[in-house]
């Protein structure tokens, strides 16, 4: 398992981590298999979405804030249950198929770390599964 | 990695792709392991849900449209940020366990491609991970 | 593939299944790889979130009920389309990285079965993928 760190600068933010993911996959020297990305935090998540126009990421962040307002009457005393809900809806993992030593992404796809209760120092875990013998 | 293509006919639609998935798993001749399904698009997603009553899929589609109206004041100029949000919430991957050469599904479960900004020609990627030696 | 059963006691409920998952991973005797958790039901799901304060789980449950009210005008005659929508948004799978024979979880993370249409008897499937030869 590999890890890398990111620092977020706002309470809610999508950070493009595609280059870190590509580097980790390249360093593993696996030609074929899976790349599992894991977020070990409960108020953050991982997603794959469009990276060409930064308005898409900001629309997702603002849309989620509209969908699940922080002002809802939650019980959890830390006042960040909106962030926990978003983490469960977006999810802590992303799986990428690896071919020819690279993660396969669609034309417009980039991998994002989704911060919902920052700014904080965060980690992302990466595990590679080799498929050289049984590639299909 | 295998690919198959689907054509969607409406802006928002769930297309049952279970038979294509079962065929791809069968052709791979893996008896035990994982089947990873990947959607390379940023305004579509993959899910597993009930397929017996088509009203379930149409309720999910209409419910998502009610949850995230296209008319919200988004910044992205293409006017499809609702579709990007839905893609992130539903997610681009599904993982199925493979046993005896078949994907394991619950009694009522079917695999669906979720179109949120069609009609379009779309692709689904499939990667198989073999587990013959280490099955548990 | 392993299975374990759980019984839920309310219509909507998050059940902490971390100890069952840890036991299944321990019994598999895999030191390194992936643990794939699969929910074979269409009105339930799996998530990873905070387990220290039970208010977090109850806030997620009550927040989802506020987000997607059962009273919405759905077509499906069983009257549980809210539960099907939540199952698709939270998702039927969770993937955990396994290291040193244990599933890797963040400090505050626990694994939860999410019941959205109980009380019922439910199952969770677990599949392990070994990574001893190619660990990265």
């Amino acid at each position: 398992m590999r890890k890398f760190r990111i620092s977020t600068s706002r309470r809610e933010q999508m950070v493009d981590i595609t280059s870190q993911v590509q580097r980790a996959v390249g360093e593993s020297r696996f030609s074929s298999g899976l790349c599992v990305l894991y977020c070990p935090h409960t108020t953050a998540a991982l997603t794959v979405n469009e990276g060409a126009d930064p308005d898409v990421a900001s629309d997702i962040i603002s849309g989620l804030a509209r969908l699940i307002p922080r002002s809802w009457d939650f019980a959890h005393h830390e006042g960040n249950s909106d962030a926990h809900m978003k983490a469960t809806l977006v999810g802590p993992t992303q799986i990428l198929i690896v071919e020819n030593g690279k993660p396969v992404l669609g034309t417009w796809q980039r991998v994002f770390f989704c911060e919902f209760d920052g700014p904080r120092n965060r980690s992302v875990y990466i595990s590679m599964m080799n498929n050289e013998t049984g590639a299909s």
Side-chain angles (χ1 to χ4, degrees), chain A:
Chain A
M1 188 176 81
R2 289 149 189 270
K3 301 183 186 185
F4 62 83
R5 295 193 154 276
I6 42 177
S7 293
T8 57
S9 57
R10 294 194 293 279
R11 181 166 195 262
E12 294 154 34
Q13 180 182 13
M14 278 170 67
V15 180
D16 187 330
I17 59 170
T18 313
S19 62
Q20 288 100 313
V21 172
Q22 287 167 330
R23 193 181 314 129
V25 171
E27 287 171 1
S28 76
R29 300 191 187 178
F30 281 12
S31 67
S32 171
L34 296 181
C35 168
V36 176
L37 303 170
Y38 188 78
C39 170
H41 310 289
T42 58
T43 53
L46 296 171
T47 194
V48 173
N49 214 303
E50 187 189 314
D53 178 0
D55 281 346
V56 172
S58 63
D59 280 349
I60 292 172
I61 288 296
S62 67
L64 286 172
R66 183 167 177 167
L67 207 59
I68 304 164
R70 194 178 182 183
S71 60
W72 274 3
D73 184 33
F74 289 116
H76 182 48
H77 61 92
E78 290 186 59
N80 61 354
S81 286
D82 63 319
H84 287 290
M85 273 191 73
K86 294 172 185 174
T88 273
L89 291 174
V90 176
T93 51
Q94 287 297 329
I95 318 286
L96 301 175
I97 297 169
V98 174
E99 279 212 327
N100 302 317
K102 292 178 184 169
V104 175
L105 289 168
T107 310
W108 305 104
Q109 286 183 323
R110 305 285 288 177
V111 186
F112 292 93
F113 181 88
C114 303
E115 174 64 83
F116 297 128
D117 194 34
R120 299 204 202 195
N121 294 316
R122 300 290 206 174
S123 297
V124 175
Y125 299 166
I126 302 187
S127 180
M128 304 288 298
M129 290 294 290
N130 204 345
N131 200 17
E132 279 175 13
T133 54
S136 168

